[in-house]
Amino acid sequence: MKGHPLARMVLYSVIATIVGTVLVLVIDWFPTGASTAAGPIDRLYDVLLVPSVVIFVLVMTVVIYCAVKFRAKPGDLGDGAPIHGSTRLEIFWVTVPFIMVTALAVYGWVVLDDIEAKQPNTLIVGVRAQQFAWRFTYPDEGDLKTNQLVLPKDRPVEFRVTTNDVLHSFWVPQFRLKTDTVPGLTTKIRVTPNREGRYDVVCAELCGIGHSTMRQAVRVVAPGEYSAWSAQAKKQQKTVGGETPPEPE
Amino acid sequence: MTLAGRLKAPGWSRAALSQPIGFLVALGVVVGVRALYGYDPLVDWDAIITVVLIALPLAFLVGIGCFDYWFRWASGAPTVPEDHSGHGARSWKDYFYVNTDHKVIGIQYIVTTFFFFIAGGLMAMVMRAELAQPGTQFVEPNTYNGLFSVHASLMIFLFIIPVFAGIANYVIPLMIGAPDMAFPRLNALSFWMLPTAGILMLASFFADGGAFATGWTAYAPLSTETPLGQTFFTIAVQFAGASSIATALNFLVTIITMRAPGMTFWRMPLLVWANFTTSLLVVIATPFIAGSQFFVLLDRSLGTNFFNVGANGDALMYQHVFWFYSHPAVYIMMLPGFGIVSEVISANARKPVFGYRMMAFSLMAIVVLGFTVWAHHMFVSGMFSWLRVPMMITTMLIAVPTGIKIFSWLATLWRGVIHLTTPMLFALGFITMFTLGGISGIMLAVIPVVIHVSDTYFVVAHIHYVLFGGSVFTIFAGIYHWFPKMTGRMYDESLGKLHFWLSFVFFNLTFGPMHLVGVDGMPRRVADYAEQFATMNVIISVSSFLFGLSFLVFLYNMVTSWRNGPKAAANPWRAHTLEWQVSSPPPIFNFDEVPTVVGGPYEYGVPGAVHGVFKEKRGAAVPAGGGGAPPPAE
Amino acid sequence: MESASIAPGGHAAEHAEHHGPPAANQSSRLESQFLGMLLFIISEVMLFGAFFAAYFFIRVVGEADWPAKGEELPVAVAGVNTAILISSSFTMHWALEGARNGNRRALRAGLFTTMMLGLTFLSIQINEYVNIGFAPADNAQGSIFYGLTGLHGAHVFVGLTLLTFATIRAFRGHFSIKEHRGVEVPGIYWHFVDVMWIVVYTTIYVL
Ligand code: HEA
Ligand code: HEA
Ligand code: CUA
Ligand SMILES: [Cu+2]
């Protein structure tokens, strides 16, 4: 008799876990990935979702089950069973979460090392933030200065990020990478764009009145197109002396 | 009383008089100092207002009478015999004066903090109205930034932290069998500092340049450059912080030195344990936010260079100092709630709290671990990169002691006799919603994930799941649970349940979708956003209005029940802890005779178990030596 | 800081008459005032900790020159000042012994000398500020130098205020062999202020 409702509870929670897991995995959480970091990060996120669903469903089912099964009958003024504890259970629920979070932390660390690894043939791009716009320099392209960010596809890039005034945060959601810009520091992020397209550079750190409008574009283009753009931009910079090279295409 | 008499006696008239005097003193100080140093111009309004913002609250505290006793003592005047005229409330008017009764102070705290909750909540409503569509509709970006900054600051510094102090103020002395707190006058001072802090924050909207608009985190160097409103924040935080430290110190001393005979540490209710550990956090951590705001204030007003990189300052230092307080602060905002939930669940499930000692140890573990994780708010800040992985690991380890608590509550429910009263519903809602918020916290601790989602609505979702689904749900549970004790009347149970279900549903509809927009790329703290998030945001906004309206049910229930509710019995929940063994509301001095504690606080279902013995009333009924329950068997 | 509801000593009898609170059970050997002062000092130490964190970031992490180029810290004068402050801890102890033994003259003289030494310390420090040759706004080193010494100076000032109260009360004869917490508690604070100065002096001037 006793085992029966318990078995039903286990069944419900298994079903809820499966449904929940499928649901959270089906949801298209992230914007399109446009860098090599997107794959491992999205996978890590999915892996985190699974134990999360398991834990949440477990807590939910026990609460609902108890609220239904052990609910006092009207007028019942009795007390529950005077159980004070159980060392075995307590050891169990200390060790299992401990192992879970340790494993997840190690996995997170591995992914971190992976996405931050140094790559050969890296293109250096300087990023400078100022209330409320971004400016870029290409030291590898004869110190090209521009307010456009154009990157060749499949070539590793290292952003060296600084600011003229307060904190900002350099973020391209499609690249999955962000770093704050800090006065007096140059922060770095490495990224390898792998999908052509035009994405937003978003400022993700509150920087004053214009924070919400501090957006610019980043364009990932084929390597050939990139060379053409940079060559023209350099020429333009020399002759006109202006900082704004022409739009490609 | 004559006018002169009223101006001399502590109270509102003297407080009113103190304001112009405080203003003139501040003016004199600034002009005097500037004259001494030969600065030009002599009258600098920014400087004057900064000093005024410090002087007026202090003058108010003097005027209302927080310091009268100490002034007399300090000047060596003979102490007046204590006639207890400032102790206990005999009419509702007494709540508006300095009172040293912990029960009066507790209610003063709770009512005041709910006022700030409503103010902060209405600001959230304006924010949601603005965010319902992309573009600018109702408020300018600067006002918007001010709104969420004041919203969060009020919610954190003037609602969650002090409302827990208020509940604990009311309940703890009763629970441990003490006639009052250890330092009743300090207790009164702690309370009266709060409204001054809150009013400063609200008043910042009238400052030149608008309210402080740098978030509740006030990161430098933005906060050293923004208009005058920021000064209101830096100073308000000092008052709220001082209030918080003084209360925590008071709790610690009370709990250590004033427990009833027989009330060993292992017989204390878990609410007392929770506030004991919280107070440790407050005393140790709060000075750090004071420090961080001192630096900002000095940089702003005296031109120092703590955060000015051009002169060897360090901008990231702000975040380290700030988070060394503000991460522990999130546990300051959660541990007292854990205590409330333990009380509510054991009484309503009619069972001893499962693993009582582990519940206390896990609180201590959270306190210790809480000091080792501050930099998880700085994973993308550009700080030392070697610090990130250690901080990730310690942060994730906090899931272990927190898990102990969640699972022990679940085990307490198991095979209980569960009464789904309103406080119990909120406690159960808390368990589930806090688990969800905690899990999103674990995701935020994993560095590669947080590099993407930091500073997005995913974080906003986390904040509200842990702070609303967590802290505020426990606050509701606590208010409903102790409402009969505090007011002597019962609240309306069906309205309470309605409040719960409306809150529970619309809470999830409001803050659940924020996870999605966050991961999808919507940054936080923006007045305007990209077109692609429009649909989700309108859903969130509509739900949030309904969510806000659900609070009206609570408000109505509280006001009408306080005035006309049926009289409450001394112990409507049939709980064992001491506060329920005295009348509702308790007598002015709590106990005629300090009770003797003979057993654990939650011995439900143990035959013949008693927690406390009262000499006159209960003594006769309890056979000598036979009333003592065995200590929790473990 | 003064415990109130259960006013010590003489009023207990009056309480019973007009139905005051029952006497609280004393559940710890520690007295509430001492414990309160101890906890207050812990949070004060943490406040200094925040300032030392700033110092650490500016000097160690930021590798700023210490003191800034072309500036000099008066190590010797401050050293003399340190000696003055330390000796005030001894006179404070003398006063307290006087209170414990019922020696009023020692109590009064001890408190008075302590105050004088404290005032001397403060005035030397102010003199130092005037002649040091740099201002808080000059650079971050100056900011944290003034920040830490100023924070400490503010604590000396608070300590002196407490001592003034104790002295007034000592001259009015409020303390007895049994009841002299009004000397002891400020005394603890004063010792804390002294110890803190040794730390500040070492890190700022010596290292
Ligand atoms: C009540 C307040 C509260 C609480 C309790 C928490 C609890 C936690 N928080 Fe949260 N947090 C905030 C309030 C709070 N937080 C706020 C306000 C911010 C934003 C500040 C700002 O920038 O404005 C924030 C931000 C924040 C960040 C920074 C995000 C960013 O800005 O980039 C991180 C990152 O690590 C984090 C992590 C955590 C973790 C790991 C916990 C853990 O303590 C949670 C532990 C709980 C559980 C895990 C659930 C129960 C456990 C079990 C059922 C056991 C089994 C579980 C597992 C094995 C996983 N929080
Ligand atoms: C305890 C803390 C707490 C609480 C209770 C809340 C409550 C709410 N919060 Fe808040 N919030 C924070 C803490 C809290 N918040 C913090 C720390 C931040 C980060 C700030 C920062 O970035 O610096 C934040 C930020 C924040 C944002 C993000 C702003 C941004 O980044 O741009 C949003 C947006 O939707 C929001 C919404 C809400 C809503 C809708 C509520 C609702 O739950 C409010 C409900 C209450 C009421 C509505 C008032 C009472 C109701 C009535 C009197 C009835 C009348 C009602 C109507 C007319 C509708 N909050
Ligand atoms: Cu730049 Cu936000
Ligand atoms: Cu944190």
Side-chain angles (χ1 to χ4, degrees):
Chain A
M1 275 307 285
K2 246 192 184 167
H4 189 59
L6 207 63
R8 251 205 328 224
M9 167 177 140
V10 173
L11 183 72
Y12 287 151
S13 75
V14 170
I15 296 175
T17 311
I18 294 171
V19 173
T21 313
V22 170
L23 197 76
V24 295
L25 292 183
V26 161
I27 292 177
D28 185 13
W29 289 89
F30 287 91
T32 0
S35 85
T36 51
I41 291 180
D42 298 6
R43 201 170 317 118
L44 172 63
Y45 185 80
D46 284 346
V47 170
L48 285 169
L49 283 177
V50 176
S52 302
V53 171
V54 173
I55 292 165
F56 181 64
V57 168
L58 177 85
V59 173
M60 270 315 255
T61 24
V62 178
V63 167
I64 295 174
Y65 180 84
C66 291
V68 174
K69 178 78 197 334
F70 302 120
R71 183 149 183 200
K73 312 271 169 313
D76 180 355
L77 293 182
D79 283 348
I83 308 166
H84 284 98
S86 151
T87 313
R88 266 167 60 204
L89 257 182
E90 283 169 37
I91 291 176
F92 176 75
W93 65 50
V94 172
T95 40
V96 171
F98 182 82
I99 293 167
M100 277 170 75
V101 291
T102 317
L104 292 175
V106 170
Y107 179 30
W109 190 355
V110 171
V111 174
L112 179 69
D113 276 351
D114 180 27
I115 59 180
E116 294 195 335
K118 267 212 172 78
Q119 307 280 345
N121 185 30
T122 301
L123 173 71
I124 310 274
V125 179
V127 178
R128 186 168 278 276
Q130 182 171 14
Q131 286 166 333
F132 301 97
W134 300 98
R135 282 136 126 245
F136 309 95
T137 50
Y138 288 77
D140 298 348
E141 309 287 355
D143 231 10
L144 173 64
K145 289 188 176 54
T146 158
N147 57 12
Q148 295 190 12
L149 182 56
V150 179
L151 301 172
K153 181 169 172 279
D154 293 326
R155 174 152 177 214
V157 183
E158 182 176 299
F159 291 110
R160 302 201 169 152
V161 186
T162 50
T163 169
N164 281 346
D165 38 49
V166 299
L167 302 173
H168 304 261
S169 199
F170 177 71
W171 183 35
V172 181
Q174 284 78 3
F175 292 170
R176 307 286 189 271
L177 292 176
K178 85 160 66 73
T179 185
D180 282 9
T181 72
V182 186
L185 287 183
T186 302
T187 50
K188 289 176 191 159
I189 40 175
R190 299 203 180 89
V191 69
T192 310
N194 63 359
R195 195 169 175 283
E196 285 180 32
R198 185 191 168 101
Y199 314 109
D200 273 348
V201 174
V202 180
C203 176
E205 184 69 77
L206 179 60
C207 52
I209 300 177
H211 166 61
S212 50
T213 51
M214 187 165 161
R215 283 155 190 274
Q216 251 152 277
V218 49
R219 246 165 327 195
V220 180
V221 297
E225 206 178 318
Y226 168 77
S227 320
W229 169 81
S230 61
Q232 222 208 321
K234 266 184 280 185
K235 214 165 73 197
Q236 171 118 357
Q237 178 162 304
K238 277 214 195 81
T239 51
V240 187
E243 282 195 357
T244 316
E247 294 262 329
E249 288 138 86
Chain B
M1 224 190 295
T2 62
L3 184 63
R6 264 194 283 155
L7 289 180
K8 261 166 108 184
W12 287 94
S13 315
R14 202 174 77 181
L17 178 67
S18 76
Q19 296 302 293
I21 297 181
F23 180 83
L24 289 178
V25 170
L27 187 79
V29 167
V30 174
V31 174
V33 169
R34 292 182 76 88
L36 204 67
Y37 279 86
Y39 286 161
D40 194 57
L42 222 49
V43 179
D44 171 7
W45 281 106
D46 270 16
I48 291 170
I49 289 175
T50 306
V51 180
V52 161
L53 289 180
I54 303 170
L56 290 197
L58 287 177
F60 170 77
L61 293 173
V62 171
I64 198 83
C66 288
F67 296 110
D68 280 28
Y69 177 89
W70 287 317
F71 284 154
R72 206 175 300 118
W73 180 87
S75 64
T79 36
V80 247
E82 181 65 86
D83 62 354
H84 303 292
S85 57
H87 192 99
R90 283 156 193 85
S91 96
W92 61 271
K93 285 186 193 140
D94 287 346
Y95 287 96
F96 292 88
Y97 290 92
V98 174
N99 202 299
T100 54
D101 183 354
H102 73 97
K103 299 185 289 302
V104 176
I105 294 176
I107 288 173
Q108 286 176 324
Y109 256 106
I110 294 169
V111 174
T112 312
T113 50
F114 264 95
F115 169 77
F116 289 116
F117 171 77
I118 292 173
L122 292 175
M123 286 173 201
M125 295 296 106
V126 180
M127 282 148 59
R128 282 316 324 172
E130 171 59 42
L131 289 175
Q133 294 166 51
T136 300
Q137 289 89 34
F138 300 101
V139 288
E140 294 301 311
N142 194 37
T143 317
Y144 178 85
N145 293 356
L147 282 171
F148 71 71
S149 305
V150 183
H151 161 71
S153 307
L154 287 181
M155 288 296 189
I156 288 175
F157 298 115
L158 274 308
F159 177 55
I160 305 276
I161 295 178
V163 78
F164 277 133
I167 295 176
N169 231 306
Y170 196 99
V171 178
I172 281 185
L174 288 162
M175 268 190 168
I176 64 172
D180 204 326
M181 297 280 277
F183 306 115
R185 277 182 266 274
L186 185 66
N187 203 12
L189 176 62
S190 307
F191 165 71
W192 285 98
M193 280 196 265
L194 275 185
T196 62
I199 287 167
L200 280 184
M201 286 188 184
L202 286 173
S204 73
F205 277 105
F206 302 106
D208 196 16
F212 56 95
T214 57
W216 78 281
T217 49
Y219 278 1
L222 184 62
S223 56
T224 63
E225 294 167 3
T226 39
L228 188 62
Q230 194 68 39
T231 307
F232 286 66
F233 174 80
T234 41
I235 293 171
V237 167
Q238 303 294 3
F239 280 99
S243 156
S244 191
I245 294 178
T247 321
L249 184 150
N250 220 335
F251 283 143
L252 287 171
V253 176
T254 309
I255 294 169
I256 292 175
T257 65
M258 291 173 75
R259 280 164 291 127
M263 174 75 83
T264 61
F265 263 70
W266 294 119
R267 280 178 182 165
M268 289 191 321
L270 284 168
L271 180 86
V272 181
W273 265 109
N275 279 285
F276 183 77
T277 44
T278 307
S279 302
L280 284 176
L281 278 174
V282 171
V283 166
I284 298 172
T286 311
F288 264 70
I289 197 176
S292 70
Q293 298 314 313
F294 276 136
F295 302 147
V296 172
L297 189 62
L298 291 173
D299 268 16
R300 291 176 63 84
S301 57
L302 297 185
T304 56
N305 294 302
F306 287 101
F307 306 119
N308 179 358
V309 186
N312 295 322
D314 187 331
L316 277 182
M317 183 267 282
Y318 178 86
Q319 293 175 42
H320 283 286
V321 175
F322 178 83
W323 288 116
F324 195 78
Y325 162 75
S326 291
H327 180 78
V330 309
Y331 298 114
I332 293 170
M333 293 186 270
M334 199 59 260
L335 300 193
F338 288 170
I340 292 175
V341 166
S342 295
E343 301 300 322
V344 170
I345 287 192
S346 65
N348 284 287
R350 314 300 308 156
K351 276 192 62 198
V353 172
F354 190 94
Y356 168 87
R357 282 187 189 225
M358 280 304 272
M359 288 296 247
F361 281 131
S362 58
L363 288 169
M364 294 300 263
I366 293 176
V367 168
V368 174
L369 275 175
F371 280 110
T372 63
V373 304
W374 76 92
H376 69 212
H377 296 274
M378 302 171 63
F379 282 141
V380 295
S381 70
M383 63 153 183
F384 326 108
S385 54
W386 54 265
L387 192 57
R388 293 178 304 170
V389 170
M391 285 288 164
M392 161 169 78
I393 294 170
T394 48
T395 303
M396 292 178 77
L397 282 180
I398 296 193
V400 176
T402 320
I404 295 177
K405 304 205 72 77
I406 299 279
F407 297 129
S408 301
W409 287 318
L410 294 182
T412 308
L413 295 174
W414 196 257
R415 294 181 58 200
V417 178
I418 295 176
H419 299 265
L420 288 182
T421 57
T422 307
M424 186 64 164
L425 285 174
F426 272 104
L428 298 181
F430 154 79
I431 293 184
T432 53
M433 292 303 100
F434 179 73
T435 301
L436 200 58
I439 289 172
S440 64
I442 296 296
M443 295 189 150
L444 286 171
V446 181
I447 304 166
V449 173
V450 83
I451 290 177
H452 177 65
V453 298
S454 178
D455 283 315
T456 66
Y457 263 74
F458 191 85
V459 178
V460 178
H462 166 71
I463 296 178
H464 292 90
Y465 266 86
V466 284
L467 277 169
F468 208 112
S471 314
V472 181
F473 273 25
T474 67
I475 290 164
F476 284 139
I479 299 282
Y480 281 115
H481 186 67
W482 281 292
F483 186 82
K485 183 56 56 185
M486 293 177 180
T487 62
R489 293 179 185 270
M490 287 306 282
Y491 61 85
D492 185 311
E493 196 63 68
S494 14
L495 283 179
K497 286 183 179 153
L498 180 69
H499 173 218
F500 170 75
W501 285 111
L502 289 177
S503 312
F504 188 81
V505 169
F506 289 114
F507 165 75
N508 279 294
L509 288 178
T510 305
F511 297 110
M514 288 186 183
H515 293 106
L516 297 167
V517 282
V519 179
D520 203 22
M522 177 165 165
R524 64 190 280 204
R525 296 173 165 178
V526 288
D528 183 14
Y529 51 86
E531 200 63 52
Q532 69 189 107
F533 307 116
T535 331
M536 274 302 195
N537 271 294
V538 75
I539 297 176
I540 295 174
S541 288
V542 171
S543 314
S544 80
F545 300 144
L546 295 170
F547 182 41
L549 287 174
S550 73
F551 182 78
L552 289 178
V553 180
F554 171 79
L555 214 57
Y556 174 79
N557 194 356
M558 292 294 112
V559 172
T560 53
S561 303
W562 199 337
R563 293 176 59 189
N564 310 320
K567 286 249 174 324
N571 191 356
W573 314 120
R574 298 178 293 126
H576 286 191
T577 41
L578 292 177
E579 83 273 24
W580 297 107
Q581 316 311 323
V582 295
S583 59
S584 296
I588 287 196
F589 295 114
N590 295 356
F591 306 98
D592 296 328
E593 197 70 51
V594 170
T596 303
V597 173
V598 293
Y602 310 116
E603 299 301 299
Y604 300 100
V606 180
V610 176
H611 176 48
V613 185
F614 287 79
K615 268 208 189 103
E616 312 98 300
K617 280 178 277 168
R618 285 287 197 81
V622 177
E634 265 181 274
Chain C
M1 225 164 290
E2 179 82 334
S3 164
S5 80
I6 317 104
H11 305 309
E14 285 157 338
H15 278 244
E17 276 160 32
H18 62 263
H19 195 82
N25 178 49
Q26 173 79 22
S27 58
S28 161
R29 257 174 301 160
L30 278 171
E31 267 201 65
S32 51
Q33 266 103 340
F34 284 106
L35 192 59
M37 185 45 94
L38 193 77
L39 290 165
F40 181 60
I41 287 175
I42 290 178
S43 80
E44 291 277 53
V45 169
M46 293 308 288
L47 183 58
F48 275 95
F51 278 74
F52 277 115
Y55 166 84
F56 174 82
F57 273 93
I58 289 164
R59 182 169 172 184
V60 182
V61 178
E63 293 173 355
D65 301 319
W66 190 271
K69 271 206 182 61
E71 292 169 1
E72 227 174 304
L73 297 177
V75 183
V77 180
V80 174
N81 217 6
T82 310
I84 292 175
L85 201 60
I86 292 177
S87 56
S88 78
S89 253
F90 288 100
T91 55
M92 185 70 226
H93 188 71
W94 175 33
L96 192 57
E97 282 300 304
R100 289 207 178 109
N101 302 327
N103 182 347
R104 291 206 167 177
R105 279 193 43 195
L107 170 65
R108 289 173 186 170
L111 280 175
F112 188 73
T113 1
T114 312
M115 273 181 66
M116 285 303 128
L117 288 170
L119 277 176
T120 318
F121 174 88
L122 267 194
S123 40
I124 292 181
Q125 180 152 18
I126 289 169
N127 188 47
E128 184 179 312
Y129 281 176
V130 173
N131 296 315
I132 200 159
F134 60 89
D138 286 357
N139 47 41
Q141 293 98 311
S143 307
I144 191 60
F145 171 84
Y146 280 93
L148 263 170
T149 53
L151 180 71
H152 182 266
H155 281 75
V156 176
F157 182 75
V158 172
L160 278 176
T161 317
L162 293 180
L163 285 181
T164 313
F165 302 159
T167 314
I168 293 174
R169 288 165 62 85
F171 276 88
R172 296 205 174 183
H174 282 214
F175 300 119
S176 66
I177 296 182
K178 275 168 119 182
E179 178 51 50
H180 50 261
R181 271 181 301 188
V183 189
E184 272 177 308
V185 174
I188 302 175
Y189 190 79
W190 192 253
H191 292 313
F192 152 71
V193 168
D194 286 0
V195 172
M196 209 64 228
W197 175 252
I198 297 175
V199 180
V200 172
Y201 177 70
T202 318
T203 42
I204 292 230
Y205 292 87
V206 181
L207 287 179

